[in-house]
Amino acid sequence: MRDVVERSRSGAPAVGEAVRDRFSSDEVFQRIIAAADEEVTSGGRELFFSGIAAGLAITITFLLYASMTEATNGHPILSVLLYPLGFIYIIIGGYQLYTENTLPPVALTLERLASFPTLLRHWSIVLAGNFVGGAFGAVVLAYTGVFSPEVMDVAMSISQSGVDTDWWALFFKAAIAGLIVAGVVWVGFATTDTVTRTLVVYLAFLAIPLGNLYHVVVSFTEALFLMFVGTLGLYVGMVEFVLPVLLGNTAGGVVLVTLVNYFHTSEERLENARFEGMSRRLSVPEWLLGRAAGRSYVPILNTAEATLFADEGYRVMVPVTNPRTDAPIVELASRIASDHEDGHVHMVHVVQAPRRMSVSRDSGQVVDVSESGLTALRETAGEYDVEVSSSTVVSHRSFEEVFTMAKRTRPDAVLMGWSDNHLWSAARAERPIDELTNQLPCDFLILNDREFDTSRILLPTAGGPDSALSAEVASTLSRTADAEVTLLHVVDDAADRSEGEAFLASWAAEHDLEEANRIVDDGGDVETAIVEAARENTLVVIGATEKGVLSRLVSNALHLDIIDDIDCSLLLAERPQRRSLRERLFGGGRRQTGATTDVESVGEERPGSEVAEATDAPATRTDDPDGDEYPTEEAVIADHEDRGESDEAEPTGNWSDSNDDGDDGGERNTK
C-alpha cells in the first residue's frame, strides 16, 4: 500500500527507496557466466580468428610503446600513455585475449557448467590465435620498415629488458599483471556503460608498463621480434621469457581473481536459474574428463517442459529425425507407454542446423515446418490411451541434444531410431568417449526398423539388467500388441541343456514371461543361434554390448555380427548402470556360468541381476537393499560391465514445445 500511495506519477521510487546504479556481486557473476557460456560454445574457427584479431591489436600496443618511448626520450609517464590502446580495442571490440579468459571460462568451470577439457580446449584455441596474430605483427615490425632505425633500437631495448629479467621475477610480475587483467574483466561486467568500461581498461592497462609488469601476448610478440632481428634464440625466448609470463598471468588471473571473486559471491549466485529437482551441473566424471561445452544457466524451461517435470506418469521420449518415416518408432513408444497408468509420449523433432545458421535467429521457419510435420505422428500416438506432447530442437549438434533433452526432462525411457551414421555402430546408446565419462539418464531403446512388426518377438538372454529391460519391453508388447514371445538361451553342449532349461524357466518366471515359448540351444554359438531363431520371428530384442571401448576395437560386438544377418527388426535395450573405468575400457563382454563359458553375453549376468541359477543343490542367496535377491558368486559373471550415458555437452538449442492430447491445437512456446 505504501508503494502504491507514495510512488509518483512519473514512476519514481517510493519514499526511502533508492535506484541502484551498480550490480551486486551475484549479478556480476551471473553476467560473467552468461558471457562465458556463449564463448565456450563458439566454434573453433570463431575463437581462433577472434584470437588472431586480439594478437594483432597487441602489436599496436608494442608499436606505440616503442614509438612513444623514442619520441619522449624515455619519459617514464609520457612514453606509456598510448600503451593501453590495443587492449581497449580488444575489450571494447569483444576479441578473445588469453588473459581475459582466466575469468569467465574458469568461473563456468568452477560452477561445473563446463568441463576441464573444454576449458583447456578454449584456452588453447584462444592462445594459439593470440600467438599467430602476435607473430604476424612481429614479422611486420621486424621486416617492413614500420619502425625507423631509432625506434627499432628502442623496441629491441624494451624487449631485451624482459629477456634479462630473472625467471621467478618474471613469473611474479606476470602474476600481478594477470590479476590486473582478470580484475578488469570483473569490473567491466560490473559497469553499465561503455565510457566507464573504457576508462577502467585504460587505467588498468596503463599500470602494466608503469609497474614494469609483463603480459604474455605482448612478451611473445617482443620475443619473436628479437628472434627475427637475430638477437635472441628460440629456447631462451620461449622457455626463459614467454613461459614464466604465461604461467604467471594464468596464476594471477585464476587464483588471485577468479577464485577469490567466486567465493566472494553467495552460494545462491545462480539459484534463480535452477529449478527444483533439476540438475544443472556436470557430474564429476563429466567435469573432469568430459567434453561438454557449457550449458546456459539462463532458465530454458517453458510452460510445456515444466509440465513434463511435473508429470508423474510413465513417460517415453521419442527423438524424431524424419516425421515422414518415424511412425513405427512413435507407434512402438505409444504401445509401451499405454501399458502404464498415465502413459505419456513426448516426441522431440531434432533438426540439424547448418554450421553457418544462427539457431537463435534463423530457426523460426524451421520450427513452424517441424510443428506441421509432427501432426501425423501426434495422430498416430493419439490412437493409444496416452498423453502426447511434442518439441522441436534446432541445433548444430543435433545428436547430443537427444541426451541433453533426456537429462532436462527425465523420461522413464528414450526410444529412438538406429542409424549407421551415428554411434550405435558401437552397439551401445552413446559414443565411445561419452561411454567413458557419462551415465545414461534413463533406459534407452534403439530400433532398427525392417518392416516393423511386433507379432513375434525373440528375446535372447543370459540374464542381467539389460536383459531385464528387454523382458519388460517384451512383456509389455505381449499385453498391448498380443505379441508372441520366444526366449532363447544358449549353452555349450547337450550336457548343459537341463541346466539351461531350468535357468530359462526361472528367468521367465521372474520377468513375468511364464507364457513365453522357451528355446535352449546347445550349439554353443550365440550368433548362429540368434540368426536361426530370428527367421521365425519379426522382432529381436537384445541387450547392449558389454564389451569395453578398447575391447571393441579388437573384435566386433555380437550385435554388429548379427544385425546384417537377420531380416527382421532389432531393438537394442540399454539400462543405466555404474561401472569402473577399467570395465568401460577393457570389459570383454564375457560371462562365466555353469551353463556357458567364454561367450559374449546378450545382456550379461552381473552382481545385482535378478537371475536364479538352476542347480541340483539350492544356491545360497542374499538380498540387496531394494529387496531383490542376488545369485550365488558362481552365478555372477567375472568380467561384468555396466553401461554409461551421454550428456554432452550440451549445447543449448532452440526449442519450440507444444503439449496436447493427440490433436494439433496445443500451446506452443519458442525459446
Side-chain angles (χ1 to χ4, degrees):
M1 179 63 70
R2 176 185 175 89
D3 182 64
V4 172
V5 171
E6 296 181 346
R7 187 174 296 277
S8 71
R9 293 182 181 180
S10 63
V15 173
E17 293 183 5
V19 179
R20 289 195 302 137
D21 60 353
R22 63 184 180 86
F23 296 107
S24 68
S25 58
D26 283 2
E27 290 170 335
V28 174
F29 189 82
Q30 291 176 23
R31 299 186 75 195
I32 289 173
I33 290 294
D37 183 77
E38 181 178 354
E39 289 178 4
V40 300
T41 54
S42 298
R45 177 179 59 82
E46 291 88 344
L47 286 175
F48 181 71
F49 280 95
S50 181
I52 290 178
L56 293 173
I58 290 297
T59 303
I60 298 175
T61 285
F62 181 39
L63 184 152
L64 293 177
Y65 186 21
S67 299
M68 288 292 291
T69 300
E70 195 279 332
T72 60
N73 294 318
H75 192 282
I77 296 179
L78 296 179
S79 62
V80 299
L81 289 180
L82 295 181
Y83 182 91
L85 185 60
F87 293 96
I88 292 176
Y89 283 170
I90 293 169
I91 302 294
I92 304 303
Y95 300 135
Q96 294 289 325
L97 185 65
Y98 173 75
T99 46
E100 269 191 272
N101 281 277
T102 55
L103 177 58
V106 174
L108 195 71
T109 305
L110 289 174
E111 274 294 304
R112 278 169 53 185
L113 298 176
S115 65
F116 280 102
T118 296
L119 172 65
L120 296 178
R121 167 193 173 272
H122 185 81
W123 276 356
S124 300
I125 294 175
V126 170
L127 189 61
N130 291 164
F131 283 176
V132 169
F136 182 80
V139 169
V140 172
L141 297 180
Y143 296 122
T144 61
V146 173
F147 280 154
S148 65
E150 296 79 10
V151 177
M152 177 75 76
D153 292 338
V154 172
M156 293 171 61
S157 175
I158 292 173
S159 303
Q160 190 63 42
S161 66
V163 176
D164 295 338
T165 305
D166 180 70
W167 200 97
W168 284 107
L170 282 173
F171 174 84
F172 287 108
K173 286 174 177 287
I176 297 175
L179 183 153
I180 291 173
V181 177
V184 166
V185 176
W186 181 275
V187 175
F189 279 101
T191 59
T192 57
D193 62 277
T194 303
V195 174
T196 303
R197 187 178 298 111
T198 303
L199 180 61
V200 169
V201 172
Y202 179 82
L203 294 176
F205 283 100
L206 191 63
I208 292 180
L210 287 175
N212 193 27
L213 307 178
Y214 293 90
H215 185 279
V216 62
V217 184
V218 178
S219 297
F220 179 82
T221 304
E222 292 175 349
L224 283 189
F225 173 75
L226 289 180
M227 292 179 200
F228 292 147
V229 297
T231 63
L232 183 66
L234 177 63
Y235 177 84
V236 173
M238 294 297 106
V239 176
E240 297 184 9
F241 183 28
V242 176
L243 180 60
V245 176
L246 172 63
L247 297 177
N249 284 168
T250 304
V254 173
V255 178
L256 300 181
V257 174
T258 305
L259 290 178
V260 171
N261 284 334
Y262 177 80
F263 290 106
H264 164 64
T265 56
S266 71
E267 294 183 0
E268 290 77 32
R269 52 189 161 262
L270 297 184
E271 194 63 31
N272 64 336
R274 300 196 178 103
F275 300 86
E276 182 178 357
M278 181 179 182
S279 174
R280 306 290 301 173
R281 294 185 172 186
L282 299 173
S283 66
V284 173
E286 291 173 318
W287 187 44
L288 296 176
L289 301 173
R291 57 179 183 177
R295 301 176 184 176
S296 177
Y297 84 97
V298 178
I300 51 180
L301 289 179
N302 60 17
T303 304
E305 287 190 44
T307 302
L308 293 176
F309 275 91
D311 180 20
E312 296 182 355
Y314 185 90
R315 184 155 38 84
V316 181
M317 188 183 102
V318 184
V320 175
T321 56
N322 188 339
R324 293 189 297 272
T325 60
D326 286 349
I329 302 175
V330 174
E331 179 183 350
L332 178 58
S334 302
R335 288 188 182 275
I336 294 173
S338 67
D339 192 49
H340 298 78
E341 185 176 357
D342 298 326
H344 188 146
V345 174
H346 179 205
M347 296 179 294
V348 180
H349 188 195
V350 184
V351 181
Q352 176 75 49
R355 292 188 61 85
R356 296 182 179 274
M357 173 182 172
S358 171
V359 295
S360 60
R361 185 184 66 248
D362 303 330
S363 59
Q365 184 177 358
V366 175
V367 169
D368 292 337
V369 174
S370 169
E371 288 297 315
S372 176
L374 290 174
T375 301
L377 295 182
R378 281 193 290 267
E379 293 175 352
T380 298
E383 297 175 0
Y384 300 86
D385 186 21
V386 295
E387 294 185 19
V388 183
S389 62
S390 63
S391 304
T392 298
V393 57
V394 182
S395 172
H396 297 299
R397 303 176 66 191
S398 60
F399 174 73
E400 286 79 1
E401 292 292 353
V402 172
F403 297 91
T404 302
M405 189 62 167
K407 292 200 70 174
R408 284 168 52 189
T409 61
R410 301 193 309 273
D412 296 278
V414 173
L415 173 60
M416 59 200 307
W418 184 296
S419 172
D420 292 335
N421 296 326
H422 288 112
L423 69 113
W424 5 109
S425 60
R428 298 188 64 85
E430 68 275 284
R431 289 193 171 100
I433 186 62
D434 300 315
E435 180 185 342
L436 297 178
T437 59
N438 306 312
Q439 289 196 354
L440 291 177
C442 61
D443 293 340
F444 265 68
L445 300 169
I446 303 172
L447 177 66
N448 183 21
D449 178 25
R450 294 174 178 172
E451 299 182 2
F452 181 68
D453 182 359
T454 59
S455 60
R456 299 186 305 281
I457 299 175
L458 174 66
L459 199 166
T461 181
D466 288 339
S467 283
L469 175 58
S470 301
E472 292 175 15
V473 173
S475 179
T476 296
L477 293 176
S478 69
R479 292 187 294 270
T480 61
D482 196 25
E484 177 185 344
V485 180
T486 299
L487 306 180
L488 172 65
H489 182 64
V490 181
V491 296
D492 281 341
D493 50 46
D496 296 322
R497 172 174 286 276
S498 59
E499 186 177 352
E501 290 173 347
F503 159 78
L504 201 55
S506 176
W507 190 88
E510 289 181 5
H511 294 87
D512 195 25
L513 290 170
E514 297 94 331
E515 302 300 322
N517 303 318
R518 296 193 290 271
I519 300 176
V520 175
D521 186 292
D522 57 15
D525 189 331
V526 178
E527 177 184 347
T528 300
I530 294 176
V531 172
E532 290 293 329
R535 294 175 182 174
E536 304 299 326
N537 292 276
T538 59
L539 174 66
V540 175
V541 183
I542 189 171
T545 182
E546 298 303 319
K547 285 190 174 183
V549 173
L550 297 183
S551 298
R552 295 200 298 270
L553 296 177
V554 177
S555 61
N556 253 354
L558 166 70
H559 310 63
L560 302 182
D561 291 331
I562 68 172
I563 191 169
D564 293 326
D565 294 333
I566 62 175
D567 296 324
C568 61
S569 300
L570 184 143
L571 184 67
L572 181 72
E574 186 169 358
R575 173 153 281 173
Q577 301 165 58
R578 295 187 180 277
R579 58 179 177 169
S580 68
L581 181 60
R582 181 191 66 82
E583 291 167 333
R584 298 184 187 199
L585 284 171
F586 304 108
R590 303 287 176 176
R591 62 184 173 86
Q592 295 176 350
T593 68
T596 310
T597 60
D598 202 33
V599 177
E600 182 182 355
S601 294
V602 183
E604 287 74 14
E605 287 181 44
R606 12 192 134 155
S609 64
E610 301 177 5
V611 180
E613 181 187 8
T615 59
D616 295 335
T620 301
R621 304 170 68 93
T622 58
D623 293 339
D624 73 356
D626 299 323
D628 294 327
E629 292 184 328
Y630 289 172
T632 59
E633 182 177 354
E634 290 76 19
V636 175
I637 55 171
D639 243 338
H640 65 285
E641 294 180 44
D642 302 34
R643 33 146 260 24
E645 120 189 309
S646 178
D647 171 6
E648 228 151 359
E650 326 197 347
T652 301
N654 245 20
W655 294 91
S656 170
D657 286 26
S658 61
N659 278 320
D660 53 57
D661 293 323
D663 57 21
D664 194 27
E667 177 185 357
R668 187 183 72 185
N669 299 304
T670 300
K671 283 286 183 181

